[in-house]
DNA sequence: ACGAGTTTACGCCAAGTGTCTTATTTTTGG
DNA sequence: CCAAAAATAAGACACTTGGCGTAAACTCGT
């Protein structure tokens, strides 16, 4: 058995993540990924992952287990019943902590931002998202901070969070690579928590019955 | 001079907008755009727009004048000095009103969401964005609602707004096409204004020095 | 050290793309 | 109505891509 295969797979995944993050999913060919990985085997992606779908699956599963564990840990440590801020923190901080654990430069945030944005990537995300909880389904309806927010509005607001977190993290990751970053991943996390709480609990001046769903798919925090 | 050329250009632009919105910028070839436009001239995009850049420029300039005028109109009608809500309203409502003015189905919101997300599109957006004002540069530092929000945090929060508006509008536009939409474009606009005000004015629990900039480029509201 | 199994290298092909050229058709101004 | 201009159609070409097949190189247990 080739134990080397793990190394080759890792190299391919890293190359793909970087190229996808920098140029977008659809702008990168399997051949380019293989070349970036340093191999002359232009069918490497097909060989190791069975094709584009397998590659995306492998990329999307990276770090999923750690983040899920960390989320459970944070939510356990909070008060019972948890406050809105605790719930939001439990969903956002595992994410920024995960990004903080990666060597600099990293491309994970920017890659996932691309995945969530582009139709071809969103398709791959759908199956993966099913394995993760969505914040909109987790928020209890009886939180005191959200008493004035109707379920429709709350659900629609929760949909915004994924894109918000992804976008800010992608931006910060880019700054980190350029050496222009101020602050830390943890400060980014708290910034996002503040913003998310303000967003979710904002006063409703115009009640509305519209509800967002479908594309773009909310990124599963 | 071919007066027909205007019609051909319009058809090409509509085809491109639709295909870009549904499949993403990088997943659509110039040939596919020409075919969708009903012409057998597979070089139509090059002939009428000089290439991909010209096509993107033409697409991005659509509706810009109307929206700018409407924005000025709304901001003029508000109180002096304007409140935070008035400023935000003046930047968001022209946008939802513009979308409301398009026939159903439309693809503009989804197209622009793609442009703002994908690197290749973001590049095209940069020059266009320079012609539009950015909300982060418009927000006065002395608004009473934002007294507790430091400039760094405020600037970073303002960056979120573009993606938020684009994402929600893209989602609603899709629902509209599917016949699943509840509410109106106007209600979407007020929903976004509420969310934006809550986001910008949210209490800051952890002061931070990080500032977002660079990619993803904030969509110029 | 050897041979089976795994990984890599690389050639080949059909399909698709952008660009450039050349007819052919359509439109316009006189 | 007619010629000039513009628009469309369609061919040629170089290039890239994904998929497939085969040969070489490598790894590992024995």
């Amino acid at each position: 058995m080739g134990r080397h295969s793990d190394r080759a797979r890792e190299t391919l995944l890293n190359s793909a993540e970087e190229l996808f993050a920098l140029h977008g999913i659809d702008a990168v060919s399997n051949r380019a990924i293989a070349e970036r990985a340093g191999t002359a085997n232009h069918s490497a992606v097909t060989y190791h992952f069975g094709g584009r779908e397998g590659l995306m699956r492998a990329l999307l599963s990276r770090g999923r287990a750690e983040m899920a564990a960390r989320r459970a840990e944070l939510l356990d440590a909070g008060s019972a019943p948890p406050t809105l801020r605790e719930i939001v923190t439990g969903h956002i901080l595992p994410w920024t902590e995960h990004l903080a654990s990666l060597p600099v430069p990293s491309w994970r945030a920017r890659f996932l931002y691309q995945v969530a944005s582009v139709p071809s990537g969103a398709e791959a995300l759908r199956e993966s998202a099913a394995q993760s909880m969505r914040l909109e389904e987790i928020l209890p309806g009886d939180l005191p901070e959200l008493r004035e927010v109707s379920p429709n509005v709350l659900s629609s607001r929760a949909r915004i969070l994924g894109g918000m977190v992804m976008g800010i993290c992608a931006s910060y990751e880019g700054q980190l690579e350029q050496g222009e970053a101020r602050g830390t991943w943890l400060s980014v996390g708290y910034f996002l928590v503040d913003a998310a709480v303000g967003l979710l609990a904002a006063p409703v001046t115009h009640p509305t019955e519209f509800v967002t769903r479908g594309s773009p798919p909310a990124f599963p925090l």
Side-chain angles (χ1 to χ4, degrees), chain A residues 103-120:
Chain A
V104 178
S106 62
W107 295 274
R108 185 142 311 164
R110 285 169 286 177
F111 160 66
L112 288 171
Y113 180 75
Q114 288 302 316
V115 173
S117 304
V118 169
S120 62

Side-chain angles (χ1 to χ4, degrees), chain A residues 84-85 88 146 161 164 192-202:
Chain A
L84 172 61
R85 175 170 296 271
V88 168
L146 303 179
L161 294 184
M164 175 180 99
L192 286 169
V193 169
D194 281 346
V197 170
L199 172 64
L200 290 172

